[in-house]
Amino acid sequence: MGVVVTDAEVTLADVLSLRLAIDEPLQDGTDLVLRHRTTGVERDVRLTTPGARACEATLAVSLAPLDLSTGRWDAYLRGADGKRSRLRSVDPGFSLDHLDAYALCKRTLAYRSYRTRNGFLALKISDAEPAAEVRAVWIREGRFEVTGLLAFTGLEDDDSRHEATFTLDRRQTSARVTATAFVQGVRFHAAVSLVDVVAADPDASGVSGTWEPALQVEGVPTPLKLGARLDDVDGKRRRLHYPAAKVDDVPIRPSYTADDELRIEVGG
């Protein structure tokens, strides 16, 4: 049986919606099997394909009742005879607009479908803590600037303005720099003077240090970490490199951690 996913998406209601190109209608007793890549735990869903034709079928699988843990889950089809094969996909499973819309709701888990490097369907499941999702970073005119959107906070994407404070904390000391941030709906813009950053910890200006940015927003109970996870670029620390700037001969460079959280590296 030849089956290929031509369109895959996790809807705002956490339903895995699939469109399949098939050689023949799926047989009764066919299961979708999701297998956790690390633990080997499996979840089975019996498939029904109302309106399936010999060349196409559509499926909808509600993910929340399956009790899927965080991590990556590979998708298989298992026939009534017990034989199974990985589910091939030609859909890259990436739409920045869809990911933005998905992140507007307050959630505990975020589900995302994607195509693996070898061309198979898989799911990525991660914790969905409120965060400030970075979309652009600059160092210009002596300032560090960052823009993005608030993810998984439950705030409305409207014209409402929210009081907000941008903070930079140096990991090695108790130094902190604060500035007023601009938040409208779920969109934010923050800027801080790099002169103030260097001056905030003068005894350590010649020593390499890391500053952790955060955003405190009215209506959100906890400070929001700044990171970049709502895209298709994993491992930004290796793949994304910003040019360094110098303030009073002190080098300053934005970077990402192994978990794709934004940091400001100063000195060294």
Side-chain angles (χ1 to χ4, degrees):
M1 177 177 61
V3 180
V4 177
V5 175
T6 58
D7 184 76
E9 179 181 78
V10 176
T11 70
L12 300 184
D14 290 334
V15 172
L16 176 62
S17 175
L18 300 177
R19 180 173 297 160
L20 309 178
I22 57 179
D23 292 341
E24 57 188 33
L26 298 179
Q27 299 176 352
D28 291 338
T30 299
D31 293 327
L32 173 69
V33 180
L34 298 175
R35 185 177 190 276
H36 194 280
R37 193 173 297 175
T38 302
T39 65
V41 170
E42 294 185 353
R43 297 287 187 268
D44 302 346
V45 180
R46 180 58 51 90
L47 299 181
T48 58
T49 56
R53 297 175 294 174
C55 62
E56 185 178 279
T58 57
L59 303 174
V61 177
S62 182
L63 297 174
L66 299 181
D67 192 26
L68 303 176
S69 60
T70 58
R72 297 179 187 265
W73 294 74
D74 294 310
Y76 297 80
L77 279 186
R78 182 176 59 210
D81 58 2
K83 295 181 180 179
R84 69 179 184 180
S85 59
R86 290 188 69 178
L87 191 51
R88 292 196 169 274
S89 176
V90 295
D91 182 0
F94 176 75
S95 165
L96 192 58
D97 290 340
H98 172 76
L99 293 176
D100 284 357
Y102 185 84
L104 293 181
C105 296
K106 191 173 180 64
R107 306 173 185 275
T108 56
L109 288 177
Y111 303 87
R112 176 181 164 193
S113 63
Y114 71 100
R115 183 183 62 193
T116 69
R117 293 181 180 179
N118 294 327
F120 297 104
L121 178 68
L123 292 177
K124 178 182 179 182
I125 304 176
S126 56
D127 293 320
E129 297 179 354
E133 178 72 13
V134 174
R135 285 294 153 81
V137 171
W138 302 276
I139 291 182
R140 58 186 180 186
E141 299 178 353
R143 299 188 305 173
F144 168 78
E145 296 185 50
V146 57
T147 64
L149 75 151
L150 308 181
F152 307 119
T153 62
L155 295 179
E156 296 292 333
D157 187 12
D158 54 22
D159 293 331
S160 301
R161 294 192 178 185
H162 307 277
E163 293 186 4
T165 302
F166 181 64
T167 63
L168 281 175
D169 289 291
R170 184 176 168 109
R171 179 181 297 180
Q172 293 81 1
T173 69
S174 59
R176 167 175 281 196
V177 177
T178 64
T180 300
F182 177 81
V183 175
Q184 181 171 329
V186 296
R187 315 290 164 171
F188 73 87
H189 174 269
V192 64
S193 167
L194 293 177
V195 173
D196 292 344
V197 174
V198 173
D201 204 1
D203 294 336
S205 61
V207 180
S208 178
T210 302
W211 294 75
E212 300 180 359
L215 200 62
Q216 297 176 327
V217 182
E218 174 191 14
V220 181
T222 58
L224 303 176
K225 297 179 180 180
L226 272 72
R229 296 187 175 94
L230 298 183
D231 56 29
D232 60 347
V233 182
D234 293 326
K236 291 181 178 63
R237 185 167 185 83
R238 302 188 311 273
R239 301 182 183 185
L240 185 58
H241 302 281
Y242 294 105
K246 281 193 175 183
V247 175
D248 296 334
D249 291 327
V250 178
I252 300 176
R253 183 195 303 272
S255 66
Y256 286 95
T257 68
D259 294 329
D260 291 334
E261 290 186 1
L262 184 65
R263 295 290 186 266
I264 312 299
E265 297 179 357
V266 179

